[in-house]
Amino acid sequence: MEGLFIGFTAITWRQLLMMAVGGLLIYLAIKKEYEPALLLPIGFGTILVNIPFSSVLDQIEGGQQIAGALSIFFRAGILTEIFPLLIFVAIGAMIDFSPLFRKPILLLFGAAAQFGIFFTMMAATLLGFDLKEAAAIGIIGSADGPTSIYVASRFARNLLGPISVAAYSYMALVPIIQPPVIKLLTSRAERTIRMDGNQKTISRTTLVLFPILVTGLTGMFAPTAVALIGFLMFGNLVRECGVLNKLSLAAQNELASLVTLLLGITIASTMTADRFLQVTTLFIIGLGLCAFIFDTAGGVLFAKLLNLALKKKINPMIGAAGISAFPMSARVIHTMGLKEDSSNYLLMYAVSANVSGQIGSVLAGGLILALVH
Amino acid sequence: MSEAMRMIFQQALAVTGKGMLALFAFMFLFYVLLVVVDRIFPGKESASSD
């Protein structure tokens, strides 16, 4: 009979607090629709793992280790990096690179808007984190959940929970974070700059060759980035080849949904009270915000710099779309453009910069893995 | 700032320099790739827009 009440007698206030955190994540997912596909499983998983002696985690019973389901998922999906890589296949299948071909110069914004990653990494070292932990925290600025999880699982498994929560939360908050930073760094005249381009169609051969060549080139120069960029480009090749439409749709829908579900609930296995309720979590939440702010600033300031040399000016707000939060950031820039001038349509250019941000963020993850020892 | 922290910061600074440089180099390479592949296998020019 005693065994029935063991949960009530063993629970601590820290576990109760974590359950409340789980409840908050579920609330944000359902009521505010902040990245619900991820925050809801993470929230529910947080409740699951903070129940005393929860069977979803490994437990010792009678001197023997009994494997818990979420611990098994963690070892099989996160430590092996399988889950984030499968998500990349799904994301690759969702990306249409053709807008980039219409204004290739926008590719450079995919590099500039990763500045927040590196700035935040430096800031994190000043707060006492070691280089690998700082790099894992900085990568929140990739504005790309799977990249953050991939790098954190290599460099700072102990920080995986807070890093994932911060990454996905701030991605959902892009419409709140980016506009004030953009307004601070640009004049109204700059925000009303019109952009021209063409609507040419891109040949299928070009769209098929692009993912193959990008993978080959990246691999030759930075082999550590091959897994990240390769799975992303593989998904894109499945989309563009034209003979695997069923697989492409499956990757975009079923694969994306299933792996996202598993990824979310598995990440929650790191959200135990002893790991999450630490001062470092607050630092990570603060540094994550800093990463998104400096990403945006990096993109905008680079566009302004580029404008000094260009005849046809680029609307500097487009630079801010160089972060990977797709398509949220492109929509934010388009809406801001319309607010300044109701006949200035920036969506196509913002989407181009946003797509380049997806390549840039994955590449940044690979480079961090190569450069940080 | 302790000596150890200063050293880690300097390492982070070096990673930042190399990382941003490499990112721009890769993106520039992809830019050239886009332009070249598009030239070799051109699509159709359908309309012009502002």
Side-chain angles (χ1 to χ4, degrees):
Chain A
M1 197 64 180
E2 261 178 38
L4 271 182
F5 300 102
I6 195 165
F8 291 101
T9 53
I11 199 160
T12 64
W13 69 268
R14 290 162 68 90
Q15 286 169 317
L16 283 171
L17 187 58
M18 282 310 294
M19 287 184 192
V21 169
L24 177 69
L25 293 178
I26 293 172
Y27 170 81
L28 292 175
I30 297 173
K31 277 285 180 188
K32 304 282 180 186
E33 294 190 29
Y34 289 171
E35 296 287 334
L38 252 299
L39 290 191
L40 191 131
I42 293 178
F44 192 74
T46 303
I47 296 173
L48 281 181
V49 299
N50 283 288
I51 293 171
F53 311 111
S54 171
S55 63
V56 296
L57 296 177
D58 290 347
Q59 300 291 343
I60 306 288
E61 275 183 35
Q64 272 195 327
Q65 181 171 305
I66 311 290
L70 289 190
S71 301
I72 294 171
F73 283 160
F74 189 82
R75 286 191 288 269
I78 305 287
L79 293 189
T80 58
E81 296 155 3
I82 296 289
F83 287 168
L85 290 179
L86 285 175
I87 289 276
F88 281 126
V89 176
I91 295 172
M94 291 177 200
I95 302 177
D96 177 9
F97 283 123
S98 52
L100 257 187
F101 283 84
R102 296 183 184 117
K103 198 87 176 169
I105 189 92
L106 299 180
L107 253 171
L108 297 176
F109 293 127
Q114 309 306 321
F115 176 65
I117 295 176
F118 296 99
F119 180 88
T120 305
M121 179 181 66
M122 290 193 291
T125 62
L126 295 177
L127 288 172
F129 290 99
D130 67 38
L131 190 59
K132 285 189 171 180
E133 288 175 339
I137 294 167
I139 208 76
I140 293 172
S142 68
D144 180 347
T147 304
S148 301
I149 292 167
Y150 189 88
V151 174
S153 67
R154 286 261 185 113
F155 282 171
R157 281 175 198 161
N158 54 323
L159 304 178
L160 196 51
I163 286 174
S164 310
V165 170
Y168 282 107
S169 302
Y170 289 131
M171 275 161 62
L173 293 174
V174 159
I176 297 168
I177 299 169
Q178 286 205 307
V181 182
I182 294 168
K183 281 194 173 175
L184 190 73
L185 296 173
T186 54
S187 64
R188 190 176 181 279
E190 285 173 323
R191 293 196 293 274
T192 50
I193 290 176
R194 283 169 179 264
M195 294 183 61
D196 56 5
N198 55 52
Q199 292 292 314
K200 70 176 181 184
T201 52
I202 310 301
S203 73
R204 194 168 131 199
T205 313
T206 304
L207 291 172
V208 168
L209 280 176
F210 184 66
I212 300 171
L213 293 174
V214 164
T215 307
L217 264 178
T218 311
M220 296 310 285
F221 287 107
T224 48
V226 168
L228 285 166
I229 204 96
F231 275 70
L232 183 80
M233 291 300 162
F234 170 63
N236 189 251
L237 182 61
V238 170
R239 173 199 173 97
E240 300 296 354
C241 70
V243 292
L244 293 174
N245 290 339
K246 270 189 182 177
L247 275 188
S248 171
L249 287 174
Q252 292 176 48
N253 298 297
E254 287 83 359
L255 181 69
S257 302
L258 273 173
V259 185
T260 302
L261 186 84
L262 285 171
L263 191 68
I265 202 152
T266 306
I267 287 298
S269 68
T270 64
M271 299 276 285
T272 51
D274 56 326
R275 284 193 195 178
F276 196 85
L277 293 180
Q278 294 183 15
V279 183
T280 51
T281 301
L282 289 178
F283 283 154
I284 290 168
I285 303 286
L287 286 165
L289 179 62
C290 162
F292 273 68
I293 289 172
F294 280 88
D295 277 346
T296 306
V300 172
L301 293 176
F302 180 70
K304 290 175 73 144
L305 185 72
L306 216 54
N307 277 346
L308 296 177
L310 290 177
K311 247 186 200 172
K312 282 187 176 178
K313 306 291 180 204
I314 291 173
N315 188 315
M317 292 198 296
I318 301 288
I323 69 168
S324 175
F326 182 87
M328 188 91 78
S329 184
R331 279 191 204 138
V332 168
I333 305 308
H334 177 62
T335 310
M336 283 185 78
L338 286 178
K339 268 187 193 164
E340 299 291 346
D341 174 356
S342 59
S343 62
N344 193 8
Y345 295 96
L346 297 173
L347 189 63
M348 189 184 96
Y349 310 100
V351 165
S352 300
N354 219 180
V355 166
S356 73
Q358 292 203 296
I359 302 177
S361 65
V362 172
L363 205 53
L367 288 170
I368 289 267
L369 290 176
L371 294 171
V372 174
H373 302 288
Chain B
M1 192 194 298
S2 70
E3 185 62 21
M5 197 184 273
R6 199 174 60 81
M7 274 183 64
I8 295 172
F9 179 75
Q10 281 178 344
Q11 285 174 331
L13 199 64
V15 170
T16 298
K18 289 177 194 168
M20 285 306 292
L21 203 67
L23 258 178
F24 274 105
F26 269 114
M27 287 309 203
F28 182 71
L29 209 60
F30 296 159
Y31 166 77
V32 174
L33 191 73
L34 272 179
V35 174
V36 170
V37 175
D38 194 37
R39 285 250 171 97
I40 299 172
F41 305 101
K44 287 173 191 164
E45 200 85 25
S46 62
S48 183
S49 74
D50 263 357

